[in-house]
Amino acid sequence: MSTSVRGACLCGSVAFSVAGPYRWFAHCHCAMCRKHHGTLFGSGLGVARAAFRWLAGEERIVHYRATEAFERPFCARCGSTVPAMSHDERYWHVPAGLLAGDPGVRPRSHIFFASRSPLTPIADALPKHAAYPPGVDLPIVATRRAPDPDAAVAGSCLCGAVAFAASMPSQRLLLCHCSLCRRSRGAAFSATLPVSHDAFRWLRGAEQIARYTVSGRSYSAEFCVRCGSPVPSTPAGSPAALLPAGAVDTPLERLPATHAHVGSKAAWHEIADAWPRYDAEPPREPLA
C-alpha cells in the first residue's frame, strides 16, 4: 500500500483520502466527461475500495446519474465533481484534480480519443484508445447535442437544463492550472473561452445555476444545480463572459491557447504542447 493522498472539493466540504496501487489512471475525452468537468478532458484514478476513505462531507454530495452505468456526483455547495463508485464495484473512480498531493503515478492512457474536443492539443506519447480501453465491455452512450445553428458558439450542461449561446466566437483558449481551477473542475486544468459579454445570452436554465465564491478571493464557480456541470461565468462589470470549453456543443476550429499558473500545476500532469506558459497570470489580451 502506497502513502495516502488527501483530496477535497473546491469549498472543502467533501474530503477523502486515497492510496495505491491504482488500477487505472487515464485521461477521458468523452463528451460526458468534458461537460461534467467543463474542460477538455477528465483525468481519473481507479482506487481500490479498501484504499479509499471519506473524511468529510458525504451528506453534501448530490448523486446525479448520467447513464445506467455511471453516476456523476458533485458537491452541492461548490459544484466540484467528486469520487464515484466505478463500473467495477471493487474500485472508486477519483477525479485526479481534487488531489492535494502527488499520488506518485502518472496517467497511462487517453480513452475516448475519437471523441476529443478539436480544441485539445495532445502531443504526449501515451496510448490513445478510440473509446474504452481493451478489457472494458460497456455500452457507449451517444451524447452529442446539436448546437443552436444561429449562434457562433453554443453549449449546454450535461443534463441539458442550462444552455447558452454567443453571437461572436472566442479568439483564444485559456488553460489555467491553479489549484482552485483544478479542484473546481476535478481535472488537470480549467479550459475557458472568453467572449464579449454583449455577445453572450442564456438560452434556458439561468434559474438552475448556483454560484460558489471562495472566501476572501475573487474566484467563483458557477454550476448547474441538477447535474453539477460548470456553466458560463458572467462577472458583473466584466467585458467578458467566460465559457467552460467542455460545455460547448459547436464544433470549433483549433484556437491559440495560453497556459496560466503553470507554477501551480499538478505534479502528475505533463504539458506537452508548445503554447505559451506563464507561472502565474498571463498578460491581458483584447477579446477580439
Side-chain angles (χ1 to χ4, degrees), residues 25-53:
F25 194 175
H27 299 308
C28 183
H29 298 261
C30 78
M32 284 192 290
C33 277
R34 287 190 277 114
K35 282 186 177 293
H36 193 56
H37 293 277
T39 188
L40 300 182
F41 52 83
S43 303
L45 287 156
V47 180
R49 292 184 69 163
F52 178 90
R53 184 162 64 98

mmCIF file of all heavy atoms in Angstrom, residues 25-53:
data_model
loop_
_atom_site.group_PDB
_atom_site.id
_atom_site.type_symbol
_atom_site.label_atom_id
_atom_site.label_comp_id
_atom_site.label_asym_id
_atom_site.label_seq_id
_atom_site.Cartn_x
_atom_site.Cartn_y
_atom_site.Cartn_z
ATOM 1 N N PHE A 25 -5.248 5.041 -14.454
ATOM 2 C CA PHE A 25 -5.064 6.491 -14.418
ATOM 3 C C PHE A 25 -5.132 6.939 -15.875
ATOM 4 O O PHE A 25 -4.202 6.734 -16.645
ATOM 5 C CB PHE A 25 -3.724 6.861 -13.793
ATOM 6 C CG PHE A 25 -3.591 8.324 -13.404
ATOM 7 C CD1 PHE A 25 -2.465 8.775 -12.724
ATOM 8 C CD2 PHE A 25 -4.572 9.263 -13.692
ATOM 9 C CE1 PHE A 25 -2.326 10.105 -12.345
ATOM 10 C CE2 PHE A 25 -4.460 10.588 -13.328
ATOM 11 C CZ PHE A 25 -3.315 11.010 -12.658
ATOM 12 N N ALA A 26 -6.260 7.512 -16.255
ATOM 13 C CA ALA A 26 -6.497 7.819 -17.668
ATOM 14 C C ALA A 26 -7.122 9.184 -17.852
ATOM 15 O O ALA A 26 -7.849 9.682 -16.989
ATOM 16 C CB ALA A 26 -7.407 6.750 -18.288
ATOM 17 N N HIS A 27 -6.818 9.775 -18.997
ATOM 18 C CA HIS A 27 -7.498 10.987 -19.444
ATOM 19 C C HIS A 27 -8.678 10.552 -20.307
ATOM 20 O O HIS A 27 -8.494 9.828 -21.293
ATOM 21 C CB HIS A 27 -6.572 11.847 -20.311
ATOM 22 C CG HIS A 27 -5.335 12.327 -19.633
ATOM 23 N ND1 HIS A 27 -5.343 12.985 -18.424
ATOM 24 C CD2 HIS A 27 -4.024 12.259 -20.017
ATOM 25 C CE1 HIS A 27 -4.095 13.320 -18.092
ATOM 26 N NE2 HIS A 27 -3.292 12.886 -19.036
ATOM 27 N N CYS A 28 -9.886 10.997 -19.968
ATOM 28 C CA CYS A 28 -11.068 10.617 -20.750
ATOM 29 C C CYS A 28 -11.600 11.820 -21.525
ATOM 30 O O CYS A 28 -11.878 12.873 -20.942
ATOM 31 C CB CYS A 28 -12.164 10.046 -19.866
ATOM 32 S SG CYS A 28 -13.604 9.494 -20.821
ATOM 33 N N HIS A 29 -11.773 11.633 -22.842
ATOM 34 C CA HIS A 29 -12.202 12.705 -23.736
ATOM 35 C C HIS A 29 -13.664 12.588 -24.149
ATOM 36 O O HIS A 29 -14.107 13.318 -25.049
ATOM 37 C CB HIS A 29 -11.331 12.695 -24.994
ATOM 38 C CG HIS A 29 -9.889 12.937 -24.735
ATOM 39 N ND1 HIS A 29 -9.288 14.160 -24.899
ATOM 40 C CD2 HIS A 29 -8.909 12.098 -24.295
ATOM 41 C CE1 HIS A 29 -7.995 14.069 -24.587
ATOM 42 N NE2 HIS A 29 -7.739 12.834 -24.227
ATOM 43 N N CYS A 30 -14.425 11.695 -23.518
ATOM 44 C CA CYS A 30 -15.820 11.546 -23.927
ATOM 45 C C CYS A 30 -16.591 12.844 -23.656
ATOM 46 O O CYS A 30 -16.212 13.649 -22.804
ATOM 47 C CB CYS A 30 -16.479 10.359 -23.219
ATOM 48 S SG CYS A 30 -16.984 10.655 -21.514
ATOM 49 N N ALA A 31 -17.687 13.024 -24.398
ATOM 50 C CA ALA A 31 -18.458 14.260 -24.276
ATOM 51 C C ALA A 31 -19.020 14.444 -22.874
ATOM 52 O O ALA A 31 -19.116 15.572 -22.377
ATOM 53 C CB ALA A 31 -19.584 14.272 -25.305
ATOM 54 N N MET A 32 -19.390 13.344 -22.202
ATOM 55 C CA MET A 32 -19.938 13.461 -20.853
ATOM 56 C C MET A 32 -18.884 13.962 -19.873
ATOM 57 O O MET A 32 -19.170 14.816 -19.025
ATOM 58 C CB MET A 32 -20.524 12.130 -20.397
ATOM 59 C CG MET A 32 -21.858 11.816 -21.037
ATOM 60 S SD MET A 32 -22.714 10.424 -20.259
ATOM 61 C CE MET A 32 -21.659 9.085 -20.781
ATOM 62 N N CYS A 33 -17.660 13.434 -19.972
ATOM 63 C CA CYS A 33 -16.598 13.912 -19.081
ATOM 64 C C CYS A 33 -16.276 15.370 -19.352
ATOM 65 O O CYS A 33 -16.065 16.153 -18.423
ATOM 66 C CB CYS A 33 -15.341 13.050 -19.241
ATOM 67 S SG CYS A 33 -15.381 11.521 -18.283
ATOM 68 N N ARG A 34 -16.248 15.745 -20.633
ATOM 69 C CA ARG A 34 -15.934 17.137 -20.946
ATOM 70 C C ARG A 34 -16.990 18.080 -20.377
ATOM 71 O O ARG A 34 -16.667 19.139 -19.831
ATOM 72 C CB ARG A 34 -15.788 17.317 -22.454
ATOM 73 C CG ARG A 34 -14.500 16.698 -22.984
ATOM 74 C CD ARG A 34 -14.211 17.057 -24.423
ATOM 75 N NE ARG A 34 -14.912 16.208 -25.373
ATOM 76 C CZ ARG A 34 -15.856 16.611 -26.199
ATOM 77 N NH1 ARG A 34 -16.265 17.868 -26.182
ATOM 78 N NH2 ARG A 34 -16.418 15.776 -27.049
ATOM 79 N N LYS A 35 -18.248 17.698 -20.461
ATOM 80 C CA LYS A 35 -19.301 18.547 -19.908
ATOM 81 C C LYS A 35 -19.284 18.537 -18.380
ATOM 82 O O LYS A 35 -19.437 19.590 -17.737
ATOM 83 C CB LYS A 35 -20.673 18.097 -20.419
ATOM 84 C CG LYS A 35 -20.973 18.540 -21.849
ATOM 85 C CD LYS A 35 -22.380 18.199 -22.249
ATOM 86 C CE LYS A 35 -22.694 18.703 -23.651
ATOM 87 N NZ LYS A 35 -22.721 20.184 -23.737
ATOM 88 N N HIS A 36 -19.124 17.359 -17.788
ATOM 89 C CA HIS A 36 -19.185 17.256 -16.328
ATOM 90 C C HIS A 36 -18.025 17.992 -15.657
ATOM 91 O O HIS A 36 -18.191 18.581 -14.580
ATOM 92 C CB HIS A 36 -19.194 15.795 -15.902
ATOM 93 C CG HIS A 36 -19.550 15.591 -14.469
ATOM 94 N ND1 HIS A 36 -20.717 16.061 -13.911
ATOM 95 C CD2 HIS A 36 -18.890 14.971 -13.456
ATOM 96 C CE1 HIS A 36 -20.763 15.740 -12.632
ATOM 97 N NE2 HIS A 36 -19.667 15.093 -12.330
ATOM 98 N N HIS A 37 -16.851 17.977 -16.313
ATOM 99 C CA HIS A 37 -15.692 18.690 -15.771
ATOM 100 C C HIS A 37 -15.583 20.110 -16.322
ATOM 101 O O HIS A 37 -14.848 20.929 -15.767
ATOM 102 C CB HIS A 37 -14.405 17.926 -16.088
ATOM 103 C CG HIS A 37 -14.281 16.608 -15.387
ATOM 104 N ND1 HIS A 37 -13.812 16.494 -14.101
ATOM 105 C CD2 HIS A 37 -14.586 15.358 -15.786
ATOM 106 C CE1 HIS A 37 -13.815 15.214 -13.738
ATOM 107 N NE2 HIS A 37 -14.279 14.503 -14.743
ATOM 108 N N GLY A 38 -16.256 20.379 -17.428
ATOM 109 C CA GLY A 38 -16.209 21.713 -18.020
ATOM 110 C C GLY A 38 -14.919 22.023 -18.733
ATOM 111 O O GLY A 38 -14.681 23.174 -19.117
ATOM 112 N N THR A 39 -14.079 21.028 -18.948
ATOM 113 C CA THR A 39 -12.776 21.281 -19.546
ATOM 114 C C THR A 39 -12.549 20.325 -20.718
ATOM 115 O O THR A 39 -13.493 19.693 -21.207
ATOM 116 C CB THR A 39 -11.678 21.192 -18.471
ATOM 117 O OG1 THR A 39 -10.427 21.619 -19.013
ATOM 118 C CG2 THR A 39 -11.553 19.801 -17.887
ATOM 119 N N LEU A 40 -11.324 20.215 -21.214
ATOM 120 C CA LEU A 40 -11.075 19.477 -22.440
ATOM 121 C C LEU A 40 -11.082 17.965 -22.249
ATOM 122 O O LEU A 40 -11.338 17.225 -23.192
ATOM 123 C CB LEU A 40 -9.739 19.915 -23.054
ATOM 124 C CG LEU A 40 -9.648 21.395 -23.425
ATOM 125 C CD1 LEU A 40 -8.300 21.696 -24.071
ATOM 126 C CD2 LEU A 40 -10.786 21.817 -24.349
ATOM 127 N N PHE A 41 -10.787 17.505 -21.046
ATOM 128 C CA PHE A 41 -10.872 16.081 -20.721
ATOM 129 C C PHE A 41 -10.818 15.914 -19.212
ATOM 130 O O PHE A 41 -10.328 16.789 -18.493
ATOM 131 C CB PHE A 41 -9.749 15.269 -21.391
ATOM 132 C CG PHE A 41 -8.348 15.791 -21.153
ATOM 133 C CD1 PHE A 41 -7.646 15.480 -19.995
ATOM 134 C CD2 PHE A 41 -7.736 16.602 -22.092
ATOM 135 C CE1 PHE A 41 -6.361 15.964 -19.775
ATOM 136 C CE2 PHE A 41 -6.450 17.100 -21.892
ATOM 137 C CZ PHE A 41 -5.765 16.778 -20.722
ATOM 138 N N GLY A 42 -11.353 14.798 -18.750
ATOM 139 C CA GLY A 42 -11.246 14.459 -17.336
ATOM 140 C C GLY A 42 -10.078 13.523 -17.122
ATOM 141 O O GLY A 42 -9.649 12.819 -18.047
ATOM 142 N N SER A 43 -9.558 13.493 -15.901
ATOM 143 C CA SER A 43 -8.448 12.592 -15.557
ATOM 144 C C SER A 43 -8.815 11.882 -14.269
ATOM 145 O O SER A 43 -9.093 12.542 -13.259
ATOM 146 C CB SER A 43 -7.146 13.380 -15.370
ATOM 147 O OG SER A 43 -6.839 14.124 -16.533
ATOM 148 N N GLY A 44 -8.846 10.545 -14.312
ATOM 149 C CA GLY A 44 -9.322 9.815 -13.146
ATOM 150 C C GLY A 44 -8.464 8.631 -12.773
ATOM 151 O O GLY A 44 -7.835 7.992 -13.632
ATOM 152 N N LEU A 45 -8.454 8.345 -11.468
ATOM 153 C CA LEU A 45 -7.725 7.213 -10.895
ATOM 154 C C LEU A 45 -8.691 6.125 -10.467
ATOM 155 O O LEU A 45 -9.774 6.416 -9.945
ATOM 156 C CB LEU A 45 -6.951 7.667 -9.650
ATOM 157 C CG LEU A 45 -5.710 8.534 -9.838
ATOM 158 C CD1 LEU A 45 -5.467 9.339 -8.579
ATOM 159 C CD2 LEU A 45 -4.512 7.666 -10.150
ATOM 160 N N GLY A 46 -8.298 4.877 -10.656
ATOM 161 C CA GLY A 46 -9.046 3.752 -10.126
ATOM 162 C C GLY A 46 -8.466 3.352 -8.777
ATOM 163 O O GLY A 46 -7.317 2.915 -8.700
ATOM 164 N N VAL A 47 -9.240 3.531 -7.716
ATOM 165 C CA VAL A 47 -8.763 3.306 -6.349
ATOM 166 C C VAL A 47 -9.526 2.133 -5.734
ATOM 167 O O VAL A 47 -10.760 2.133 -5.727
ATOM 168 C CB VAL A 47 -8.958 4.571 -5.481
ATOM 169 C CG1 VAL A 47 -8.457 4.332 -4.060
ATOM 170 C CG2 VAL A 47 -8.251 5.764 -6.111
ATOM 171 N N ALA A 48 -8.802 1.161 -5.205
ATOM 172 C CA ALA A 48 -9.441 0.012 -4.573
ATOM 173 C C ALA A 48 -10.296 0.462 -3.393
ATOM 174 O O ALA A 48 -9.949 1.410 -2.677
ATOM 175 C CB ALA A 48 -8.378 -0.981 -4.102
ATOM 176 N N ARG A 49 -11.429 -0.198 -3.177
ATOM 177 C CA ARG A 49 -12.357 0.201 -2.108
ATOM 178 C C ARG A 49 -11.661 0.258 -0.755
ATOM 179 O O ARG A 49 -11.927 1.159 0.057
ATOM 180 C CB ARG A 49 -13.531 -0.769 -2.054
ATOM 181 C CG ARG A 49 -14.433 -0.689 -3.268
ATOM 182 C CD ARG A 49 -15.642 -1.586 -3.157
ATOM 183 N NE ARG A 49 -16.578 -1.123 -2.138
ATOM 184 C CZ ARG A 49 -17.834 -1.522 -2.056
ATOM 185 N NH1 ARG A 49 -18.314 -2.404 -2.940
ATOM 186 N NH2 ARG A 49 -18.635 -1.065 -1.125
ATOM 187 N N ALA A 50 -10.750 -0.677 -0.487
ATOM 188 C CA ALA A 50 -10.069 -0.707 0.806
ATOM 189 C C ALA A 50 -9.090 0.449 0.971
ATOM 190 O O ALA A 50 -8.687 0.767 2.093
ATOM 191 C CB ALA A 50 -9.335 -2.039 0.982
ATOM 192 N N ALA A 51 -8.706 1.091 -0.161
ATOM 193 C CA ALA A 51 -7.726 2.179 -0.113
ATOM 194 C C ALA A 51 -8.374 3.548 -0.207
ATOM 195 O O ALA A 51 -7.684 4.558 -0.279
ATOM 196 C CB ALA A 51 -6.712 2.007 -1.239
ATOM 197 N N PHE A 52 -9.706 3.579 -0.201
ATOM 198 C CA PHE A 52 -10.439 4.848 -0.289
ATOM 199 C C PHE A 52 -11.159 5.095 1.030
ATOM 200 O O PHE A 52 -11.777 4.183 1.590
ATOM 201 C CB PHE A 52 -11.451 4.796 -1.429
ATOM 202 C CG PHE A 52 -12.271 6.053 -1.555
ATOM 203 C CD1 PHE A 52 -11.843 7.095 -2.357
ATOM 204 C CD2 PHE A 52 -13.460 6.204 -0.854
ATOM 205 C CE1 PHE A 52 -12.593 8.258 -2.454
ATOM 206 C CE2 PHE A 52 -14.212 7.361 -0.947
ATOM 207 C CZ PHE A 52 -13.779 8.399 -1.754
ATOM 208 N N ARG A 53 -11.102 6.348 1.504
ATOM 209 C CA ARG A 53 -11.785 6.672 2.761
ATOM 210 C C ARG A 53 -12.370 8.073 2.682
ATOM 211 O O ARG A 53 -11.683 9.035 2.331
ATOM 212 C CB ARG A 53 -10.807 6.579 3.927
ATOM 213 C CG ARG A 53 -11.446 6.813 5.296
ATOM 214 C CD ARG A 53 -10.538 6.279 6.413
ATOM 215 N NE ARG A 53 -9.273 6.986 6.471
ATOM 216 C CZ ARG A 53 -9.015 7.978 7.323
ATOM 217 N NH1 ARG A 53 -9.939 8.385 8.186
ATOM 218 N NH2 ARG A 53 -7.829 8.562 7.330
#
